[in-house]
Amino acid sequence: MAAKRMAFANFFGSKQKTFRPRKRGIFEGTIKFKLHKQANASLNSGIDLQEVVKLPHGEDRNDWIAVHVVDFFNRINMLYGTLCEYCTEQTCPTMSGGPKYDYYWCDGINYKKPTALPAPKYISNLMEWVEEQINDENIFPVKVGVPFPKNFTPTVKKILTRLFRVFVHVYIHHFDKLLALEAEAHVNTCFKHFYYFIKEFELVEKKELEPLREMTERMCHC
């Protein structure tokens, strides 16, 4: 327990275990890596999160969004990795967001129709799918001068919508574990950063935010 509390104390920017190992750095050696460092420096400075997410003057919107998508994936991956031992097929036989919301997995390949899965299986598929998208340079180009494809924004919206569902599941079904691990404050900061970002760039539909609406209104004063 003490070790996990220490891990969460170093939640941002640490090298603790993840649910799925990261296969690459965040655009290391590229112009986008500069944006990543800039975004993290602003986040760690303690300034208003609503200001942190805004597009810096003179920077490309898609570049800014791309580095944040990769960063959010890694952070949420880490968050769930710390809690995944408590999320099993026995404790979470469905991927739900409370009594009113159930999520079904569909990737068009292995699951061609929306399929009910236990939460850990759903989230495993989700993380694997997101990782495939962000490692595909046809969607997330890393070379200077290579333009973003037309399907970049729709893909980003789908990625962030699915990542939001991990927050929904964690808050609704594993909040007691967050408290036991003294992780609530760290996860709240991660969530607020994510929420302000998706609202700033209108990347997740309002109906998808409904499961956490009341909590979000209290936490983000919106």
Side-chain angles (χ1 to χ4, degrees):
M1 181 68 72
K4 287 183 178 178
R5 288 176 180 172
M6 185 176 294
F8 264 105
N10 297 300
F11 185 80
F12 296 106
S14 68
K15 294 184 178 180
Q16 56 193 291
K17 69 176 184 177
T18 58
F19 178 57
R20 294 181 57 78
R22 292 183 290 184
K23 290 187 177 180
R24 76 173 188 184
I26 306 175
F27 308 112
E28 291 183 20
T30 70
I31 293 175
K32 293 183 182 67
F33 188 59
K34 174 181 72 71
L35 285 179
H36 163 67
K37 291 193 295 183
Q38 179 179 345
N40 272 313
S42 297
L43 179 62
N44 293 329
S45 71
I47 66 174
D48 186 350
L49 287 172
Q50 286 183 281
E51 293 298 318
V52 166
V53 300
K54 292 181 178 180
L55 180 67
H57 179 71
E59 299 294 354
D60 180 78
R61 182 180 189 272
N62 285 342
D63 281 338
W64 186 244
I65 289 174
V67 298
H68 278 80
V69 169
V70 175
D71 195 38
F72 286 135
F73 164 70
N74 286 325
R75 290 173 186 273
I76 295 169
N77 184 29
M78 186 183 300
L79 183 163
Y80 185 73
T82 308
L83 296 169
C84 66
E85 65 183 280
Y86 307 108
C87 182
T88 68
E89 294 189 7
Q90 289 69 43
T91 63
C92 305
T94 62
M95 179 62 180
S96 70
K100 295 182 180 180
Y101 304 94
D102 287 307
Y103 301 121
Y104 298 87
W105 182 253
C106 180
D107 56 20
I109 301 175
N110 297 316
Y111 296 87
K112 295 185 178 181
K113 295 182 179 180
T115 304
L117 296 174
K121 179 64 174 176
Y122 182 104
I123 295 175
S124 177
N125 286 338
L126 186 160
M127 294 298 184
E128 183 176 348
W129 176 82
V130 172
E131 190 172 57
E132 289 174 356
Q133 308 310 304
I134 63 178
N135 283 326
D136 185 346
E137 293 188 21
N138 292 315
I139 303 173
F140 283 74
V142 297
K143 296 179 181 178
V144 177
V146 176
F148 284 86
K150 292 182 179 179
N151 68 332
F152 175 71
T153 298
T155 300
V156 162
K157 288 182 176 181
K158 195 167 188 178
I159 289 172
L160 294 174
T161 295
R162 287 179 165 179
L163 288 176
F164 181 80
R165 294 173 181 177
V166 180
F167 278 120
V168 172
H169 184 73
V170 166
Y171 272 117
I172 291 178
H173 294 282
H174 300 293
F175 188 72
D176 58 332
K177 297 303 179 185
L178 294 180
L179 293 176
L181 294 170
E182 299 181 358
E184 180 188 6
H186 299 288
V187 176
N188 286 350
T189 298
C190 184
F191 174 76
K192 286 162 65 174
H193 185 203
F194 181 94
Y195 178 78
Y196 287 136
F197 184 82
I198 63 175
K199 292 293 287 184
E200 175 72 16
F201 296 99
E202 300 180 340
L203 295 171
V204 176
E205 292 185 18
K206 186 177 180 179
K207 65 180 182 180
E208 287 284 345
L209 306 177
E210 191 62 24
L212 297 180
R213 178 177 56 81
E214 292 183 6
M215 184 198 79
T216 303
E217 289 174 353
R218 293 193 305 270
M219 187 185 302
C220 301
H221 308 292
C222 57

